[in-house]
Amino acid sequence: MGVNLKDIAQRAGVSLATVSNVVNGYRPVGERTRLRVQQAIDELGYSPNLGARHLRRGRTGLIALAIPELNNPYFAELAEIAIAEAAGLGYTLVMENTAADRGAELALLDGSRRHIIDGLILSPVRIGREEVLARTAHTPLVLIGEGVYDVPHDHIAIDNVAASHAAIQHLVAIGRRRTAFIGATRGGERQSAHLRVRGYREALTAAGLPYRSRLVAHTDAFGRLDGKRAMRDLLALGDPPDAVFGYNDLVAVGALRALAEAGLRVPEDVAVIGIDDIEEGRFSTPTLTTIAPDKREIGRLAVRRLVARIEGAEVAAPLTVQTPFRLIRRESTGTPVG
Amino acid sequence: MGVNLKDIAQRAGVSLATVSNVVNGYRPVGERTRLRVQQAIDELGYSPNLGARHLRRGRTGLIALAIPELNNPYFAELAEIAIAEAAGLGYTLVMENTAADRGAELALLDGSRRHIIDGLILSPVRIGREEVLARTAHTPLVLIGEGVYDVPHDHIAIDNVAASHAAIQHLVAIGRRRTAFIGATRGGERQSAHLRVRGYREALTAAGLPYRSRLVAHTDAFGRLDGKRAMRDLLALGDPPDAVFGYNDLVAVGALRALAEAGLRVPEDVAVIGIDDIEEGRFSTPTLTTIAPDKREIGRLAVRRLVARIEGAEVAAPLTVQTPFRLIRRESTGTPVG
DNA sequence: CATCGCCTGTATAACGTTATAGAGCCGCGC
DNA sequence: GCGCGGCTCTATAACGTTATACAGGCGATG
């Protein structure tokens, strides 16, 4: 099909090996021949066949980013950053959608893709420590988000407990005394949902407020619809909450909608706060107060750690990084003071 | 590294070729040997090295979906569908973000990725007919969305003019007489923005309403912020519109926000309609009336056409498909009647 | 009974690249 | 005058797979 090394070699009157050396500088080439080869390359419009290169090198130049839902703007924004970072390092990022499915996560960890991918960035949802430890694939793995700990892999996440503290402290500061949480899950001791509930509980206690399990709404997933339904249920309680802390912005947006349909005012009747700082929250009515993780940092760091491992930094010990976050005050908890 | 064909062949006591035939059924294999080989495969946990396979076959099994912004929920939803469809056909889809950049679109059309990708689905924004015709790469190309016509490639899009008609007719039906359009662009005769403006204009004329160029707001991009700014400008006019038709839902959401900040009621003061039916519009306050394209159909069709071409349907003439759409009435144009 | 064709299975040459071993040439020191 | 090391470049063997050409066995056909 296309132009290959041999064509260039013939055109320039040199050997295959010399052309290869010109292309990727593995060994030095004399100035005159290099120029001749370069000219042939330009004239014929050669670009290396990556498949063949990777067969020979044993690497494909592909890394995968596996996330539970592409539809979630948080992950879409993260993916956009990661794709750019990977491209800058000479890698192509392919997105894998696990759809929060256990089988899909397991298949990625150790599946048939292993030959096609040099490394994997995974945001685990349904698998835990054991599954990660049981993995036999030898390609580097970087974990993002919470859920799996104490495994020999790099791990990047925000401090969920601290983030929840910040959210609750803010609600307490604006005078709320009955704050609900939407987005708890059953089981999963170390899942991020669990950690966020823990932070919620600890912060309430620290503020001298009671923890009421009725105000903790469980959901199957973390989408807008889940938030809306849960909020509706909370409003049906005898004594509904005066504030809601959503597992993420999507859930919080759903809560906003349920409140609007119920004819309640935000933040006067119920204040709402989420986590993720998705763009949608900057344009909703009311705009959404949120805990903003440093998506840029997470995306770039994950890719860079992975590439470092792929390119041979096996020696370094697995790194666990907690990226910073900040509170962004918007209308859903009252007009910012500052 | 991993287990390869040779290992299996030795274990089962057969030749390489036989194992290969068992794996991909290119030629029939006797029942007894097939079983023995299969057993060896299972025992050793063999999975084919895709790089090598693709080098031999001349195909990589990768197709690319190039879209102008991953952040746009419309494209994220489309991508999710396309990824699933590609996986079902044995292909891996890699996402390419052109960021609505001309250079990026050109690079994709004819760039260094050509060896790594079997085919490309492109949503062009900044390039036109000439650039597509000038392309030298020989891999199949499927275009989605509008902007490029009369090129020898499959093309899938909704009928933008008709969609705009439907939107305007709806606004007229609910009694609006001064409808603005947000999201026009300069130049680009056949760009979708241009087509949507044309439909807007034609439908107004058909309804016996005047077309006022002051009510057509131009934007640089099609995001929430663009919609918000444009709406603000429209409201500053001496006689502001009583309805707004957004280039897409994102722009419409931005308009909703500007209206809320201006203290205007939707739909009483200003009705709003968009195109895309993104989930966000089902949860915004008010919920957003929209023209819903059949995303599932577009995503699946694009992938299937591309794969058909890759697998040798060069004979068939390029297909241009217009996928259906429907109007979804929500609060932003008044409570649905039906 | 020889021949033809089918059915299984094998040996082997690609695919396009990179890394290794080595060949030719030149100048320098003993 | 001969060997030795440094510098370029070349020849070639992989990487793991698939497709082609071919070989042997066996029943059916003339």
Side-chain angles (χ1 to χ4, degrees):
Chain A
M1 307 261 149
V3 190
N4 59 14
L5 268 193
K6 202 157 76 180
D7 299 332
I8 305 295
Q10 279 177 357
R11 175 92 161 205
V14 296
S15 76
L16 279 179
T18 301
V19 181
S20 173
N21 283 329
V22 169
V23 172
N24 50 25
Y26 170 67
R27 293 219 327 209
V29 173
E31 193 52 29
R32 274 179 46 196
T33 36
R34 129 166 282 116
L35 279 175
R36 213 158 26 139
V37 170
Q38 190 58 53
Q39 191 182 352
I41 290 177
D42 293 342
E43 282 173 14
L44 296 179
Y46 167 76
S47 72
N49 180 318
L50 298 181
R53 165 178 292 177
H54 296 322
L55 168 60
R56 184 60 233 249
R57 284 198 181 152
R59 293 203 228 122
T60 64
L62 258 45
I63 61 182
L65 171 63
I67 57 183
E69 33 177 355
L70 197 51
N71 261 340
N72 186 325
Y74 171 74
F75 289 114
E77 292 174 23
L78 191 65
E80 192 153 6
I81 293 162
I83 285 178
E85 184 71 17
L89 294 172
Y91 285 77
T92 299
L93 189 141
V94 331
M95 311 253 304
E96 297 281 351
N97 191 350
T98 64
D101 176 63
R102 185 181 159 79
E105 291 185 15
L106 284 172
L108 271 168
L109 262 191
D110 223 345
S112 61
R113 281 271 153 66
R114 67 185 161 193
H115 275 309
I116 216 184
I117 276 172
D118 292 340
L120 172 65
I121 301 172
L122 174 67
S123 171
V125 177
R126 302 274 185 230
I127 59 173
R129 185 162 177 273
E130 292 71 25
E131 289 87 345
V132 172
L133 286 175
R135 158 183 146 101
T136 65
H138 53 284
T139 48
L141 171 68
V142 170
L143 298 166
I144 58 175
E146 317 257 346
V148 176
Y149 288 85
D150 302 323
V151 288
H153 298 286
D154 295 315
H155 184 189
I156 297 158
I158 67 168
D159 183 340
N160 275 305
V161 175
S164 301
H165 270 268
I168 299 303
Q169 276 164 16
H170 173 54
L171 292 175
V172 169
I174 62 170
R176 306 302 158 132
R177 317 207 37 96
R178 291 183 54 78
T179 296
F181 180 88
I182 297 182
T185 49
R186 334 254 164 209
E189 275 286 305
R190 317 205 71 172
Q191 301 281 352
S192 48
H194 191 86
L195 293 170
R196 289 178 190 182
V197 172
R198 201 175 95 200
Y200 158 82
R201 181 171 195 160
E202 287 177 5
L204 285 181
T205 307
L209 293 171
Y211 167 82
R212 303 175 220 260
S213 60
R214 283 191 321 176
L215 291 184
V216 174
H218 291 254
T219 58
D220 296 329
F222 306 115
R224 297 177 185 88
L225 187 56
D226 303 287
K228 178 175 167 181
R229 285 183 179 147
M231 187 74 241
R232 226 156 27 191
D233 293 344
L234 285 171
L235 291 177
L237 291 176
D239 42 3
D242 60 7
V244 175
F245 172 32
Y247 167 81
N248 64 12
D249 279 359
L250 236 35
V251 163
V253 163
L256 284 182
R257 179 65 202 162
L259 289 164
E261 290 184 2
L264 291 168
R265 292 166 309 159
V266 176
E268 292 82 351
D269 300 320
V270 181
V272 177
I273 186 171
I275 297 187
D276 278 355
D277 187 29
I278 63 179
E279 188 180 285
E280 181 173 350
R282 298 202 277 277
F283 287 84
S284 59
T285 300
T287 53
L288 183 65
T289 295
T290 192
I291 301 286
D294 191 339
K295 276 171 279 203
R296 183 155 301 281
E297 182 70 6
I298 295 173
R300 295 175 65 175
L301 211 51
V303 170
R304 266 184 283 178
R305 289 302 303 175
L306 187 68
V307 168
R309 295 264 176 223
I310 291 170
E311 297 183 349
E314 301 93 358
V315 272
L319 199 66
T320 295
V321 180
Q322 291 203 323
T323 52
F325 61 84
R326 64 205 175 85
L327 172 74
I328 300 183
R329 302 188 59 174
R330 299 211 186 92
E331 293 168 0
S332 69
T333 59
T335 314
V337 207
Chain B
M1 304 262 148
V3 190
N4 59 14
L5 268 193
K6 202 157 76 181
D7 299 333
I8 305 295
Q10 279 177 358
R11 175 92 162 205
V14 296
S15 76
L16 279 180
T18 302
V19 181
S20 172
N21 283 330
V22 168
V23 172
N24 50 24
Y26 171 64
R27 291 214 333 203
V29 174
E31 194 51 30
R32 274 180 47 197
T33 36
R34 126 165 286 116
L35 279 174
R36 212 159 26 138
V37 170
Q38 191 57 54
Q39 191 182 354
I41 289 178
D42 294 342
E43 283 173 15
L44 296 180
Y46 167 76
S47 72
N49 181 318
L50 299 181
R53 165 177 291 178
H54 297 322
L55 167 59
R56 184 59 234 249
R57 283 197 180 154
R59 295 202 228 122
T60 63
L62 258 45
I63 60 182
L65 171 63
I67 56 183
E69 32 177 355
L70 198 50
N71 261 339
N72 186 325
Y74 171 73
F75 288 114
E77 292 174 23
L78 191 65
E80 192 153 5
I81 293 162
I83 285 178
E85 183 71 17
L89 294 173
Y91 285 76
T92 300
L93 189 141
V94 333
M95 312 253 305
E96 297 281 350
N97 191 349
T98 64
D101 176 63
R102 185 182 158 79
E105 291 185 15
L106 284 172
L108 272 167
L109 263 190
D110 222 346
S112 61
R113 281 269 153 66
R114 65 186 162 193
H115 275 309
I116 216 184
I117 275 172
D118 292 341
L120 172 65
I121 300 172
L122 174 66
S123 172
V125 178
R126 301 274 186 230
I127 59 172
R129 185 160 178 272
E130 293 70 26
E131 288 87 345
V132 172
L133 286 176
R135 155 184 149 101
T136 65
H138 53 283
T139 49
L141 170 68
V142 170
L143 298 166
I144 57 175
E146 317 257 347
V148 175
Y149 289 85
D150 301 324
V151 288
H153 299 287
D154 294 315
H155 184 187
I156 297 159
I158 67 168
D159 183 340
N160 275 305
V161 175
S164 301
H165 270 267
I168 299 303
Q169 276 164 15
H170 174 53
L171 293 175
V172 169
I174 62 170
R176 305 302 158 132
R177 320 210 30 100
R178 291 182 55 79
T179 296
F181 179 88
I182 297 182
T185 48
R186 334 254 165 208
E189 275 286 305
R190 315 207 69 172
Q191 301 281 352
S192 48
H194 192 86
L195 294 170
R196 290 179 189 181
V197 172
R198 201 175 94 199
Y200 158 82
R201 181 171 194 162
E202 288 177 3
L204 286 181
T205 307
L209 292 172
Y211 167 82
R212 302 174 222 261
S213 60
R214 283 191 323 177
L215 291 184
V216 174
H218 291 254
T219 57
D220 296 329
F222 306 115
R224 298 177 184 88
L225 187 55
D226 303 288
K228 177 174 168 181
R229 284 182 180 149
M231 187 75 241
R232 227 158 25 193
D233 293 345
L234 286 170
L235 292 177
L237 292 176
D239 40 3
D242 58 8
V244 175
F245 172 31
Y247 168 82
N248 65 12
D249 279 359
L250 237 34
V251 163
V253 163
L256 284 182
R257 179 65 202 162
L259 290 164
E261 290 184 4
L264 291 168
R265 293 167 308 160
V266 176
E268 292 83 352
D269 298 320
V270 181
V272 178
I273 187 171
I275 297 187
D276 278 355
D277 187 29
I278 62 179
E279 188 180 284
E280 181 173 350
R282 298 202 276 277
F283 287 84
S284 59
T285 299
T287 53
L288 183 66
T289 294
T290 191
I291 300 288
D294 192 339
K295 275 171 280 203
R296 183 155 303 278
E297 182 70 7
I298 296 174
R300 295 174 66 176
L301 211 51
V303 170
R304 266 185 282 178
R305 288 304 303 176
L306 188 68
V307 168
R309 295 264 175 222
I310 291 171
E311 296 183 350
E314 302 94 357
V315 270
L319 199 66
T320 295
V321 180
Q322 290 202 324
T323 52
F325 60 85
R326 64 203 176 87
L327 173 73
I328 299 183
R329 300 189 59 175
R330 299 211 187 91
E331 294 167 358
S332 68
T333 60
T335 315
V337 206

